[in-house]
Amino acid sequence: MKKAILTILLCGVMVLGMTGCGKPKNEFDVGNKSDVQISQNSDVKMSIKDGTLTNTGATLVLTNNSDKNFHYGYPYKIEIKKDGEWHKINVQLDFTLSAFSLPSKESKEVELNWEGGYGKLAEGTYRIIKDIDYEYEEGKHETFNVAVEFTIE
């Protein structure tokens, strides 16, 4: 009888111990080196609105400096700088596929909350990457990436 109670207690302790063994929400898998090309074109710039950066989100400002009209959506990626090189962060993100207009000579704000996908970012240097789309001819599109770097301290 004592052996059975001891076994049940031991199993209970093991189960409780294993439930705490998952990755904390502020840790993620750093993947391979990034192969994302960031546009050097100055038509669209992305920045972080002053006072909005936290370890769980930020407000982006997309600025169209050109006479063209661009489009963007909800999707974004965050990469981390390790040993002087950008690396992907392996997470699964789900986005609604909406398109928003970025008219000529205008700016738009985009609020991000990445805690659900990336968790709370630890200290480090990161960059946010967004795709920008341009229809240069009826039915023909060009997509390029813009990025903004930031540091969590």
Side-chain angles (χ1 to χ4, degrees):
M1 179 75 166
K2 286 183 181 180
K3 203 174 203 182
I5 293 173
L6 185 58
T7 302
I8 292 170
L9 265 155
L10 186 57
C11 287
V13 169
M14 287 175 54
V15 167
L16 288 174
M18 290 189 325
T19 58
C21 290
K23 252 186 204 182
K25 198 61 177 158
N26 63 348
E27 287 186 22
F28 45 75
D29 289 329
V30 176
N32 296 329
K33 285 196 306 188
S34 175
D35 57 358
V36 174
Q37 298 296 314
I38 304 301
S39 174
Q40 300 305 313
N41 184 329
S42 62
D43 283 350
V44 176
K45 292 292 183 189
M46 185 166 63
S47 60
I48 294 176
K49 184 177 180 179
D50 288 341
T52 66
L53 177 64
T54 69
N55 63 350
T56 61
T59 299
L60 302 178
V61 180
L62 294 169
T63 303
N64 183 348
N65 296 312
S66 77
D67 294 326
K68 304 171 194 168
N69 292 320
F70 295 95
H71 294 89
Y72 64 95
Y74 285 120
Y76 66 92
K77 297 180 245 297
I78 298 178
E79 295 183 339
I80 187 168
K81 193 176 244 184
K82 291 283 186 189
D83 301 321
E85 299 200 74
W86 292 108
H87 288 261
K88 297 176 184 178
I89 298 175
N90 297 325
V91 296
Q92 179 64 40
L93 302 174
D94 296 314
F95 294 102
T96 304
L97 295 179
S98 300
F100 302 100
S101 178
L102 183 58
S104 172
K105 306 295 184 196
E106 289 190 22
S107 294
K108 298 280 180 133
E109 291 187 1
V110 179
E111 290 186 30
L112 300 182
N113 180 339
W114 53 71
E115 188 172 14
Y118 292 96
K120 291 182 180 180
L121 298 181
E123 289 182 3
T125 301
Y126 300 87
R127 71 178 176 181
I128 299 169
I129 302 168
K130 282 194 72 60
D131 295 340
I132 304 295
D133 187 59
Y134 170 64
E135 185 175 22
Y136 61 90
E137 190 176 301
E138 182 70 33
K140 295 184 180 179
H141 296 266
E142 177 183 316
T143 301
F144 58 94
N145 298 304
V146 293
V148 60
E149 294 182 25
F150 63 96
T151 302
I152 299 293
E153 297 179 339

